[in-house]
Amino acid sequence: MDKQMKLHYMNRIDEKLSDLPWFVTEFIDSRKRKLSPTTLLNYCHDYIIFFDWLVAEHFTTASRKDIGLASLETLTIRDVENFLSFLEYKLGNTKLTINRKLSALKSLFDYLQNKAETSDLKPYIQRNVMAKMELNAIKESQETMANRIEGKILREDDFESFRQFVAYDFGEMNKENKRIYNFHQFNRERDTAIISLILGSGLRLSEVAGINLEDIDLNKALVRVIRKGNKEQYVYFSKQALLDIESYLQIRESRYVPDKLESSLFIAAPIGRKGKNRRLTQRSIEKLVEKYAAAFGKPTLTVHSLRHSFATRYHLENNDVPRLRNQLGHSSIQTTMIYTHLTDEEMRKAVNNMDR
């Protein structure tokens, strides 16, 4: 993540913290050196949901910002179980999402009990109810995970069909709607390059959004990305992705008219007369993928499922798990092994075809 993107996230974090209790600000500040800005921003969102629930359920008469430490110490296990039920049944959160929110609360409460100290060297809270809470048990075999993912990815000819749809067919489909048609004509090279890059490299959403012009090596079809854990890596992308990126770069300056200091690869057009170009955010990229996926007739397609699509195709054609692991930036080879299960059906068909 470059300095501009990091500053953007830190500003958003500060906005959220301005309406959260003082001790949350202190906790977030203590984690800025160790956790990514996106993780800290997610923490802030989770805390807002939790403290708003405390207010709505009358655990306190204070506003969200003015909730005190005493309100946290009096919470019971039953109270927290009710909050987790609220997340699941009222907000529709999955067990994985609930685990993430509970982990954020556990980290906060652990800080208040075991790390933060008052002026007389006592912990902020004596009683930590979150320490008694257990995460949801979620056990999925690699085969189960593969089956869950299987219906949400692109297969074989779908790769080029989807790319062609983004580049041309979406515009033709909406020719009668001038606003949508003109917007697509303006952005189609950029959007095609984004889709093609993900399908041709398996990059994560954050990695695509964070690419700068100087990170791209067109001669070697390589892109420099910052992976999880702040690790720098150079990742190969496909020839088709290279062609689409080159097409986008040919019109980037003339069409988007970026400032001289604008280093982001993928940018949005300025809004208004005095508007400035800005880096496409992760959410903007998610939304454009969702838009094309729904129109293409595969509404379950996401940036992440495009990454899965690349990995499945790579494994089917190369059968090289260690190299795939490196390409995807997985810390554990067990994570990569899921794609061996995803391609079982293709392998079966290939063996059967030998009898023809």
Side-chain angles (χ1 to χ4, degrees), residues 7 18 24 40-41 49 94 110 130 153 165 170 173 177 198 200 216 227 251 259 269 276 282 296:
L7 180 61
S18 67
V24 176
L40 294 177
L41 183 59
I49 293 171
T94 65
D110 178 69
M130 294 298 170
I153 62 175
F165 182 81
F170 181 85
M173 176 188 290
N177 188 321
I198 300 171
I216 290 281
R227 315 221 86 150
I251 57 91
D259 294 338
K276 291 186 177 181
Q282 293 184 39
F296 186 64

Side-chain angles (χ1 to χ4, degrees), residues 137-160:
I138 301 174
K139 292 184 178 179
E140 282 188 313
S141 68
Q142 290 174 347
E143 190 169 0
T144 301
M145 291 175 66
N147 290 334
R148 178 165 51 80
I149 293 169
E150 188 171 13
K152 302 178 181 179
I153 62 175
L154 294 175
R155 299 284 189 157
E156 301 171 355
D157 294 341
D158 284 346
F159 270 65
E160 182 56 22

Side-chain angles (χ1 to χ4, degrees), residues 24 67 70 87 97 100 134 166 173 191 206 224 287 295:
V24 176
I67 291 175
L87 293 177
T97 302
R100 182 178 61 76
E134 295 183 357
V166 174
M173 176 188 290
D191 295 355
S206 60
R224 171 187 172 274
K287 287 173 70 175

Side-chain angles (χ1 to χ4, degrees), residues 27-297:
F27 166 67
I28 293 295
D29 286 343
S30 74
R31 305 302 293 165
K32 284 181 178 177
R33 288 189 298 107
K34 296 184 178 181
L35 297 177
S36 71
T38 50
T39 298
L40 294 177
L41 183 59
N42 284 331
Y43 274 14
C44 290
H45 287 304
D46 294 340
Y47 298 148
I48 287 172
I49 293 171
F50 174 67
F51 288 120
D52 281 350
W53 180 83
L54 290 181
V55 173
E57 295 297 318
H58 308 294
F59 285 96
T60 176
T61 57
S63 65
R64 181 207 301 160
K65 182 178 177 62
D66 296 323
I67 291 175
L69 292 165
S71 297
L72 305 186
E73 284 194 300
T74 57
L75 290 173
T76 65
I77 292 177
R78 185 178 180 85
D79 294 333
V80 180
E81 290 288 0
N82 287 336
F83 171 66
L84 300 181
S85 294
F86 164 76
L87 293 177
E88 183 171 1
Y89 298 111
K90 293 291 185 180
L91 299 188
N93 290 169
T94 65
K95 292 188 182 298
L96 283 170
T97 302
I98 293 170
N99 276 355
R100 182 178 61 76
K101 286 179 164 57
L102 181 55
S103 293
L105 288 169
K106 280 177 166 289
S107 295
L108 173 62
F109 276 65
D110 178 69
Y111 171 80
L112 298 176
Q113 183 187 42
N114 299 313
K115 297 180 177 66
E117 293 179 332
T118 62
S119 58
D120 54 353
L121 304 182
K122 293 182 179 179
Y124 281 1
I125 60 174
Q126 298 289 337
R127 183 175 170 279
N128 178 0
V129 66
M130 294 298 170
K132 303 177 182 181
M133 304 304 300
E134 295 183 357
L135 299 174
N136 289 313
I138 301 174
K139 292 184 178 179
E140 282 188 313
S141 68
Q142 290 174 347
E143 190 169 0
T144 301
M145 291 175 66
N147 290 334
R148 178 165 51 80
I149 293 169
E150 188 171 13
K152 302 178 181 179
I153 62 175
L154 294 175
R155 299 284 189 157
E156 301 171 355
D157 294 341
D158 284 346
F159 270 65
E160 182 56 22
S161 296
F162 187 52
R163 182 192 156 276
Q164 286 285 339
F165 182 81
V166 174
Y168 303 105
D169 298 344
F170 181 85
E172 293 300 310
M173 176 188 290
N174 292 281
K175 228 171 184 179
E176 301 303 315
N177 188 321
K178 290 299 181 184
R179 184 183 64 83
I180 296 177
Y181 177 76
N182 291 335
F183 188 78
H184 175 258
Q185 290 301 300
F186 188 90
N187 291 304
R188 69 184 189 87
E189 287 91 351
R190 182 200 66 188
D191 295 355
T192 305
I194 290 172
I195 297 296
S196 196
L197 178 59
I198 300 171
L199 286 175
S201 67
L203 291 181
R204 296 181 176 92
L205 173 62
S206 60
E207 295 163 355
V208 174
I211 298 173
N212 289 328
L213 290 171
E214 62 268 23
D215 295 328
I216 290 281
D217 186 334
L218 297 176
N219 293 320
K220 297 180 180 178
L222 279 172
V223 58
R224 171 187 172 274
V225 295
I226 304 299
R227 315 221 86 150
K228 287 185 176 181
N230 258 355
K231 295 177 181 177
E232 178 184 273
Q233 185 178 341
Y234 287 84
V235 179
Y236 286 100
F237 50 86
S238 68
K239 291 181 180 178
Q240 185 59 64
L242 173 61
L243 293 173
D244 289 333
I245 290 171
E246 287 177 332
S247 295
Y248 163 63
L249 289 175
Q250 287 173 7
I251 57 91
R252 180 180 176 275
E253 287 195 21
S254 60
R255 191 173 299 171
Y256 293 89
V257 196
D259 294 338
K260 291 182 179 179
L261 297 179
E262 179 55 72
S263 62
S264 310
L265 175 60
F266 297 119
I267 56 179
I271 299 175
R273 289 185 178 180
K274 296 184 179 180
K276 291 186 177 181
N277 294 104
R278 63 200 184 283
R279 180 188 297 272
L280 274 187
T281 64
Q282 293 184 39
R283 183 57 190 142
S284 296
I285 294 174
E286 281 183 317
K287 287 173 70 175
L288 75 84
V289 171
E290 289 168 3
K291 175 184 73 175
Y292 289 121
F296 186 64

